[in-house]
Amino acid sequence: MKKELSTGFNDRQYMNSGEFEVFFYKDANLNHIVDHSHPYYEVYFFLSGDVTYDVAGNQYDLQYGDYLLIPPGTKHHPIFHSTDKNYQRFVLWISRSYYESMCTWSEDFSYSFRYAEEKKSYRFRTDFITFQNIQGRLLDLLEELHGNRAFHKLNAELLVLSFLLQINRITYDMLHQVPVAYENVLYLNLCDYINNHLSEDLSLDKLASFFYSSKYHISHVFKDNMGISIHQYIIKKRLNASKNGILSGIPFTELYHQYGFSDYTSFYRAFKKEFGLSPKEFREQKGLPEGY
């Protein structure tokens, strides 16, 4: 650890900045911290100490690599069993307003905290290599916040966004350790379902409901197998089917609706972007008469 980036513990339970703060604490002889809560999101990363952590009445014996997700208003405090080891941890605070602004941009930012709140389960465990990566990212963030390099505030914001997404991915992978064979079956079933329902609603909400899986899991499995997002795949399949529809003489006024496009304009733009020709130009290139 970089010594200059660590701070001694203080009992401040409010944020000085309006968006986020990060700390690296390295303390000895902390005997008691009262049960408390605060109006912001806290992500806590444990490094060392003889500590059990109580979050909303759930007690977790911590080991290196554990992290806690503590939503606003959730009471929590450490319980010290001895002071023989330094109590070391990282703490990231994110204001409610900043967190909510991230979630309006993409609901994926809420994945980990939403799980913690819904399941009342706040402790997560990582392996050594993953936690080393987490530490590196937090140190990068600390350096930006304590430094004065050009654009350091902007870069700190980007680091926080990237970091929270990384935590969501780690949490997701931890909760979805399923056999590869199962994921392969899900992927094949998704492809089959899409190919047979091109004219229907193929939103992630619809697919998640049909396959009894989360939207995040479906997206993750599909991209891992196909190499492109499920949305891109659906568009490509619909456009290729519409090409065959043009060759079969289906009128444009029926074609876009038949293959799941909301209107002709969106169909036209997607078709031209994919094939470099408008639907009409494609029909003419194939020598088909107008209105065919």
Side-chain angles (χ1 to χ4, degrees), residues 6-17:
S6 65
T7 60
F9 177 72
N10 67 71
D11 58 4
R12 172 168 66 91
Q13 296 301 334
Y14 57 87
M15 295 182 65
N16 284 329
S17 73

Side-chain angles (χ1 to χ4, degrees), residues 172-173 183 215-225:
Y172 174 86
D173 288 342
E183 295 195 342
K215 294 185 290 184
Y216 188 94
H217 185 55
I218 285 174
S219 299
H220 177 78
V221 168
F222 197 90
K223 191 163 188 178
D224 277 358
N225 281 274

Side-chain angles (χ1 to χ4, degrees), residues 5 25 69 97 102 117 126-127 130 132 159 175 187 266:
L5 297 180
Y25 290 125
L69 300 175
S97 60
M102 287 190 290
E117 290 183 284
T126 67
D127 57 57
T130 299
Q132 287 290 308
L159 288 172
L175 297 172
Y187 161 70
S266 60

Side-chain angles (χ1 to χ4, degrees), residues 189-238:
N189 286 338
L190 281 166
C191 290
D192 186 61
Y193 184 87
I194 289 167
N195 291 335
N196 287 297
H197 298 82
L198 289 175
S199 64
E200 301 176 19
D201 177 13
L202 292 175
S203 65
L204 274 174
D205 285 324
K206 173 69 174 180
L207 294 174
S209 175
F210 185 84
F211 287 100
Y212 300 98
S213 185
S214 74
K215 294 185 290 184
Y216 188 94
H217 185 55
I218 285 174
S219 299
H220 177 78
V221 168
F222 197 90
K223 191 163 188 178
D224 277 358
N225 281 274
M226 179 61 71
I228 60 174
S229 73
I230 194 165
H231 175 71
Q232 290 173 304
Y233 177 80
I234 291 168
I235 294 296
K236 287 180 179 293
K237 295 299 292 186
R238 283 174 165 166

Side-chain angles (χ1 to χ4, degrees), residues 74-188:
T74 305
K75 289 192 173 184
H76 56 282
H77 68 281
I79 301 166
F80 301 102
H81 303 295
S82 73
T83 56
D84 294 338
K85 294 179 65 178
N86 282 345
Y87 177 36
Q88 298 185 78
R89 69 272 187 212
F90 286 99
V91 177
L92 172 65
W93 291 345
I94 303 174
S95 74
R96 186 191 293 266
S97 60
Y98 190 68
Y99 176 84
E100 289 174 352
S101 71
M102 287 190 290
C103 294
T104 59
W105 182 55
S106 173
E107 66 176 11
D108 286 343
F109 282 111
S110 69
Y111 178 82
S112 293
F113 273 107
R114 187 172 67 247
Y115 176 87
E117 290 183 284
E118 290 176 354
K119 303 297 184 182
K120 308 300 180 187
S121 179
Y122 306 98
R123 193 270 307 274
F124 303 86
R125 183 154 285 169
T126 67
D127 57 57
F128 180 83
I129 294 175
T130 299
F131 201 67
Q132 287 290 308
N133 182 265
I134 287 174
Q135 286 189 68
R137 286 176 177 249
L138 288 169
L139 286 171
D140 288 343
L141 178 57
L142 274 167
E143 287 180 341
E144 284 295 332
L145 292 174
H146 288 275
N148 197 31
R149 298 183 64 189
F151 314 114
H152 70 280
K153 290 183 178 179
L154 176 60
N155 193 41
E157 285 202 47
L158 294 174
L159 288 172
V160 168
L161 294 173
S162 175
F163 182 75
L164 192 54
L165 284 178
Q166 183 202 26
I167 291 301
N168 286 339
R169 178 169 286 178
I170 292 169
T171 304
Y172 174 86
D173 288 342
M174 207 179 304
L175 297 172
H176 293 83
Q177 294 178 354
V178 297
V180 174
Y182 167 80
E183 295 195 342
N184 190 54
V185 169
L186 175 60
Y187 161 70
L188 293 174

